């Protein structure tokens, strides 16, 4: 008895697996090894075999008429056939490369922004030290700046702050 039930279950499961076409007809899904009738809209087709075309509706030009028409160039990606695994893989890799490139640009911009922020903070700190009159040594002889040198350095650092801290 168990063998008969198992055989029937296997038969039912394999019969739907052999059906290559699937489409919605009302509230039901129809599985068949034949294409759907002409009154089924393409949007209702759930699955079709790879490389197959659906017969044209009466009054529509057939597939042969479409392929023999050389006056209108075919648009890439306008095919209604599903893409092959290689095409999907290539598109996936391309999207992944673009995403990695965008992430790299974002990381570079963040690093540049952080570097500018640090430079701004350093310049402001140095300017504050100069303005408060803290002794600053400069030059090759490491001498303390005089008032005239300090004013020139303040002006230079103020320009640097205005450029770095935009």
């Amino acid at each position: 008895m168990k063998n008969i039930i198992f055989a029937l279950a296997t038969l039912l499961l394999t019969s739907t697996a052999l059906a290559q076409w699937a489409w919605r007809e009302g509230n039901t899904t129809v599985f068949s090894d034949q294409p759907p009738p002409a009154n089924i809209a393409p949007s209702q087709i759930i699955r079709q075999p790879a490389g197959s075309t659906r017969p044209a509706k009466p009054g529509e030009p057939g597939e042969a008429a479409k392929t023999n028409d050389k006056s209108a160039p075919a648009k890439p990606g306008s095919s209604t056939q599903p893409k092959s695994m290689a095409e999907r893989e290539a598109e996936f890799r391309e999207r992944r490369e673009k995403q990695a490139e965008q992430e790299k640009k974002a990381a570079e911009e963040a690093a540049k922004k952080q570097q500018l922020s640090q430079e701004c903070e350093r310049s402001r700190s140095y300017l504050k030290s100069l303005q408060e009159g803290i002794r600053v040594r400069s030059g090759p002889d490491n001498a303390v700046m005089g008032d005239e040198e300090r004013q020139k350095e303040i002006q230079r650092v103020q320009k640097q702050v205005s450029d770095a801290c935009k």
Side-chain angles (χ1 to χ4, degrees), residues 27-151:
N27 290 331
T28 61
T29 302
V30 179
F31 297 93
S32 175
D33 61 343
Q34 298 294 316
N39 65 343
I40 301 297
S43 62
Q44 293 176 305
I45 298 175
I46 299 169
R47 183 179 60 219
Q48 69 183 29
S52 66
T53 57
R54 182 173 171 202
K57 290 182 182 179
E60 287 184 355
E63 197 65 32
K66 290 179 185 176
T67 56
N68 290 338
D69 186 15
K70 302 292 182 189
S71 62
K75 294 180 182 176
S78 65
S79 173
T80 59
Q81 294 184 0
K83 296 180 180 177
S84 71
M85 187 62 104
E87 291 171 328
R88 291 188 293 180
E89 174 108 9
E91 288 177 354
F92 172 74
R93 286 183 181 168
E94 186 177 316
R95 284 191 312 268
R96 191 170 50 179
E97 287 174 4
K98 284 182 182 178
Q99 183 181 8
E101 186 176 310
Q102 289 173 348
E103 289 173 356
K104 182 180 176 184
K105 282 183 180 180
E108 288 174 355
E109 287 178 18
K112 185 177 181 180
K113 196 172 191 178
Q114 183 180 10
Q115 183 181 6
L116 285 174
S117 175
Q118 289 174 346
E119 179 67 24
C120 177
E121 184 61 35
R122 188 187 63 76
S123 296
R124 283 182 177 164
S125 175
Y126 182 53
L127 179 61
K128 184 177 178 183
S129 298
L130 287 171
Q131 289 172 338
E132 289 178 352
I134 296 175
R135 291 185 180 189
V136 179
R137 297 185 180 268
S138 69
D141 57 354
N142 207 14
V144 176
M145 280 188 197
D147 289 338
E148 200 173 300
E149 285 181 282
R150 179 182 299 277
Q151 287 304 318

Side-chain angles (χ1 to χ4, degrees), residues 12-26:
L12 287 174
L13 291 174
T14 58
S15 66
T16 58
L18 293 175
Q20 297 177 355
W21 288 87
W23 65 90
R24 302 285 296 163
E25 198 170 291

Side-chain angles (χ1 to χ4, degrees), residues 4-16:
I4 294 173
I5 293 174
F6 179 73
L8 286 175
T10 305
L11 181 63
L12 287 174
L13 291 174
T14 58
S15 66
T16 58

